[in-house]
């Protein structure tokens, strides 16, 4: 039976995250200290003390979640965990997956996600973009609702997270129209999300162009572990392909449902969420009920994962 590690993206952050882990594992605070020296502020203090409004700013959230995932990845191997057959990350989490696969080094990834957050924040003026979660509606119905609501504006399905759970993004007015269109088609819930940027839609193309320039200055290696990427839902190891898909990811949908299913079809029976929270663990079980899923953000979770992995 094959295995995978999955790395969370924005939305998994919370004030106090990984505090229990740090009490038991010195490597956690050490990793955050390494990140703080690059960022120029005390990232660990901000994650522990907040305020939440600052932690939830995408320019802070992205480095924080990357660092949390890398810290737990390091702890996994310190505890004699074995190397998974595949890695994948949800949106921002793909950068964590690339660090795990040794395609990117941690410091370069940290600088990239900080820049990524800045570019995303400035690409769309505050208040002009929006995201919303659509619950209880088939993917095709969500796509059709967005097409119906666009009226020349941008709105599209951007995160296919699990069956019956899709996130849409675009200009504020168009997203509001799409919310109503989804409700009229029978969505159980259609609600705006408290995020500052409309990720993974065409409004991010300019940010992607600037990010591509930065990516060209960074060393990308071929991945030592296949990375199932958001844009293709296929495992990739070639550094050129990995980098190209990372650029496209910024303005393209996250095919998370397809990614988990692809890993299952490749023989993955065990998935370990490596990062703050347990969002992806829950989604993975909804996508594939036969999948054994673990989270390693605390000692108990790590112990269970090590037992289930071996």
């Amino acid at each position: 039976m094959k295995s995978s590690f999955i790395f969370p993206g924005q939305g998994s952050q919370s004030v106090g995250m990984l505090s229990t882990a740090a009490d038991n594992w010195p490597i956690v605070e050490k990793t955050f200290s390494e990140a703080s020296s690059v960022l120029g502020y005390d990232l660990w203090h901000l994650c522990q003390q907040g305020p939440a409004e600052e932690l939830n700013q995408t320019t802070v959230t992205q480095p924080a979640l990357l660092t949390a995932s890398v810290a737990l990845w390091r702890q996994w191997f310190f505890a004699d965990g074995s190397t998974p057959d595949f890695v994948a990350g949800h949106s921002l989490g793909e950068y964590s997956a690339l660090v795990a696969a040794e395609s990117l080094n941690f410091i370069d990834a940290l600088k990239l996600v900080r820049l990524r957050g800045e570019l995303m924040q400035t690409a769309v003026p505050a208040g002009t973009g929006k995201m919303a979660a659509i619950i209880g509606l088939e993917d095709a119905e969500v796509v059709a609702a967005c097409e119906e609501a666009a009226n020349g504006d941008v709105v599209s399905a951007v995160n296919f997270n699990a069956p019956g759970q899709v996130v849409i993004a675009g200009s504020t007015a168009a997203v509001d129209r799409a919310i109503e269109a989804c409700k009229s088609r029978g969505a159980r819930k259609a609600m705006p999300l408290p995020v500052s940027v409309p990720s993974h839609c065409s409004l991010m193309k300019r940010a992607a162009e600037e990010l591509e320039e930065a990516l060209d200055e960074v060393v990308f290696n071929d991945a030592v572990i296949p990375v199932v990427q958001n844009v293709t839902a296929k495992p990739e190891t070639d550094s050129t392909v990995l980098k190209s898909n990372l650029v496209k990811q910024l303005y393209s949908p996250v095919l998370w449902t397809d990614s988990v299913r692809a890993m299952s079809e490749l023989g993955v029976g065990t998935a370990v969420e490596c990062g703050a929270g347990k969002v992806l663990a829950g989604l993975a079980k909804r996508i594939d009920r036969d999948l054994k899923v673990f989270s390693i953000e605390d000692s108990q979770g790590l112990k269970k994962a090590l037992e289930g992995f071996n």
Side-chain angles (χ1 to χ4, degrees), residues 203-268:
L203 295 176
M204 289 291 121
K205 280 195 173 180
R206 187 173 67 179
E209 291 170 359
E210 295 183 58
L211 180 64
E212 185 173 18
E213 294 178 8
L215 288 168
D216 286 339
E217 302 299 317
V218 173
V219 174
F220 266 78
N221 301 307
D222 289 345
V224 300
I225 307 169
V227 182
V228 180
Q229 292 195 279
N230 291 176
V231 172
T232 61
K234 296 178 181 178
E236 307 286 357
T237 57
D238 181 85
S239 60
T240 303
V241 175
L242 291 167
K243 183 165 68 171
S244 175
N245 284 339
L246 207 56
V247 175
K248 295 174 186 174
Q249 185 223 57
L250 204 54
Y251 59 84
S252 303
V254 173
L255 305 179
W256 190 249
T257 302
D258 288 347
S259 295
V260 173
R261 285 175 174 164
M263 288 188 282
S264 295
E265 290 170 4
L266 289 166
V268 170

Side-chain angles (χ1 to χ4, degrees), residues 144-308:
C146 289
E147 292 174 351
E148 172 190 312
N151 290 342
D153 291 333
V154 172
V155 61
S156 57
V158 296
N159 292 352
F160 295 92
N161 288 334
Q165 185 173 330
V166 178
V167 173
I168 64 174
S171 61
T172 299
V175 171
D176 286 339
R177 292 193 297 268
I179 287 173
E180 295 308 311
C182 287
K183 287 179 179 177
S184 69
R185 289 170 179 266
R188 192 164 72 251
K189 288 183 181 179
M191 51 195 179
L193 294 176
V195 295
S196 56
V197 292
S199 306
H200 302 293
C201 69
S202 61
L203 295 176
M204 289 291 121
K205 280 195 173 180
R206 187 173 67 179
E209 291 170 359
E210 295 183 58
L211 180 64
E212 185 173 18
E213 294 178 8
L215 288 168
D216 286 339
E217 302 299 317
V218 173
V219 174
F220 266 78
N221 301 307
D222 289 345
V224 300
I225 307 169
V227 182
V228 180
Q229 292 195 279
N230 291 176
V231 172
T232 61
K234 296 178 181 178
E236 307 286 357
T237 57
D238 181 85
S239 60
T240 303
V241 175
L242 291 167
K243 183 165 68 171
S244 175
N245 284 339
L246 207 56
V247 175
K248 295 174 186 174
Q249 185 223 57
L250 204 54
Y251 59 84
S252 303
V254 173
L255 305 179
W256 190 249
T257 302
D258 288 347
S259 295
V260 173
R261 285 175 174 164
M263 288 188 282
S264 295
E265 290 170 4
L266 289 166
V268 170
T270 302
V272 176
E273 180 165 9
C274 185
K278 299 179 181 179
V279 172
L280 295 188
L283 293 178
K285 288 298 290 184
R286 288 186 59 187
I287 296 166
D288 183 353
R289 294 185 182 277
D290 295 327
L291 200 62
K292 290 196 299 181
V293 182
F294 302 94
S295 173
I296 60 169
E297 65 173 344
D298 56 36
S299 297
Q300 185 178 8
L302 178 62
K303 181 181 178 182
K304 288 181 179 179
L306 288 167
E307 292 171 351

